Amino acid sequence: MFSKDIINKLKIYYRSVDDNIIKDFYIPVISNAIKYDRSVGYFSSKILVSYVDGLKNFIKNNGKMRLLISPSMLKEDILELDPKKCAKETIINLLNLCNSSDDIVNISSKIFAKLIHLNILDVKVVVPKNKVGIFHEKISIFYDEANNKIATNGSNNETLNSVSANLESFNVFGSWNVGQNEYINAFENSFAKTWNNDVKYYDVISLKNAIEDNLLSEYVTNDSIESLYHSINHFKDKKSSTDNSENENISLNFTPYKYQKDAALEWVEKKQGIISFATGTGKTKTAIYAIKTLIDKNLSKAFVIVVPNKTLVVQWYEELKSYFSNVVKCYSESPHWNRELKNKIKYLKLNKLPNLFVVSTNNTFFGNKMNKQIKKLNNDFVFIADECHRLGTDRYLSQLKIQASVERRMGLSATPEIYMSKDNTQNLYNFFKGIVAKYSLSDAINNGKLTKYNYYPIHVSLEDNELSEYKKITNEIVKLWPSFDEILDFDKIPKQAQIKLFERSRIIYGAQNKLQKLDKLMGSMKNSKHILIYCGATNVNEVSDDYLDDETYYDKQITMVNNMLMKKHIDSAQYTKEENEHERIDRINEFKNGNLKVLVAIKALDEGVDIPEISTGIIMASSGNPREFIQRRGRMLRLYKGKKIVNIYDMVVLGESPSYDGINSTEIKRIREFTNNANNKAELEIKYKSMFYKYLGDEVNE
């Protein structure tokens, strides 16, 4: 009940610059009410944070709240939808903030969803029929158990800004005051007519009619209202209401190395370019330093980061959200990303967000849903492509042309060259305007930014049937491609010859003797942990357009390796594209803490995954593409406390007969590359001197 103390203190007029509206009006009035009707243009669930203390008592009083709101959409979006769809989008936009990376927005939105779920709050959306005007009424009516009423009429919306930042005012009416019941009755009548859809030129759509029964359950947390209140109070202590200010103070939790800072500032000045750093030397942190520089100088507010796989989406998301509030994950395992992104872009355009970060897989980024949303930014964003070489296919390069109007473009890659395709390499360089900064593997090792490594090639010979099959396919390739021995771009090789090259490489990848060598090697590592085994894609059933980077054909070798480890009672798990996000994260964490001694992978760990604990690497198979083994080596060399050196074992197929010449020439290139920066380089130079000379010519002297 509205006590005498509340009634006596109640003013007839409140103004945000003169009064503490939350403390002096909302909290005491809501605390003592059992019913609250609110008719308002704009509503934000974040308002619940401000008067959460009053809301707790309102719920204890078995209070009921009815809310009439305007669509939370831009005018052009309203024009595209019928009233029911417009109402649905409005409700979903509010509910979707449950996925926000901003803690207070996240929790207040969960409270909003919980209040609806518990039938404490009922919501209706007022949509203009003529698509011209908007519902902008601002009245509220509070009732206590004795049917005393307090009503307001004024300028403020039901948003945090309206009560804590904007200059707003409203009049207050009490049913106990002589002559004021007439006003309150008029407000009640207006609210009732609108609530009952008895209002000209507008459709009033209820929440229950706008969304499916099961949709709300997607957003409702299992947390109790009490625990959500506790969380809100915890974060209120950490954050103030200045979260909506135009500038977001950014303090990085790392100090960039000189080469990272120089690269970032060079890119900021030139606006475009590829940062080509050795794997493991901090490309992501360099990009974040560049982002901070742009924000500090007020040069950019929106950033779109595209990455090749789901694991990298999660890693970028986690990294960014440690500094920034508004980060959206866009990929298949985040089913509501489109709604969240649409909402965030809307608020960014209305200057209600300090900045926006979009992290997307390549496939999602080039899809129609993303394209529709990104267009709304009018090219006013920074485009960052991690592992940008993965965009160097004909399909992606043609789609990439759409982004050519974006002024700021950054590529990140340790290996930006496209394997066996000079044309696509040049097209990629043209888009990003070449390489803006480099930091090599030798520089990183010599400067102590990567761990030193010993390299141990393990010689493997083919079985007679494998060598026979290899020769047979080679002859078929020669017939299909008479210029077989010439160096050409891969896309100039006939398609059937490409397929045969792929089939032939699988023989080398899956050589049976590799498993025997691995069995013996693992027997000598019984007390070791943090071992990474890279398997090859060896089972050829069909070939996709992206077969050079495909993981479809993994089941033969990786299955046999997994079975062998199981028989040896070695705790291990596989890490491939077949596992979902949660499985991948769990397996990496178990590997890091030592519960899993071995992680078995194909290509999913080639790019971007940060597991610095790796101390031993075993390469069961590697393609002729330098990018693959360069990425894998860098993955193993990341710095880690107590890790002084990494041991890399490489299964290489070599033979002395002329039948092996083609195989030797491919495998020796990898041995040469690993030897160049190995800690045991001197002994490797001696051991392979003759082969370096025979197959690499004058490269032996490099």
Side-chain angles (χ1 to χ4, degrees), residues 135-203:
F135 176 67
H136 213 241
E137 203 165 37
K138 314 282 180 61
I139 60 175
S140 61
I141 312 160
F142 302 86
Y143 302 80
D144 69 5
E145 57 191 10
N147 204 34
N148 293 309
K149 306 168 190 176
I150 297 173
T152 72
N153 184 25
S155 67
N156 61 303
N157 286 301
E158 196 83 345
T159 67
L160 185 57
N161 268 350
S162 70
V163 295
S164 63
N166 298 350
L167 200 166
E168 308 273 5
S169 63
F170 57 86
N171 297 306
V172 178
F173 305 86
S175 59
W176 53 87
N177 292 322
V178 177
Q180 293 190 2
N181 260 317
E182 187 175 346
Y183 290 98
I184 296 174
N185 291 338
F187 297 148
E188 285 183 304
N189 184 54
S190 294
F191 185 91
K193 288 180 70 176
T194 307
W195 188 262
N196 295 321
N197 200 13
D198 183 19
V199 58
K200 291 181 180 179
Y201 312 124
Y202 289 87
D203 283 306

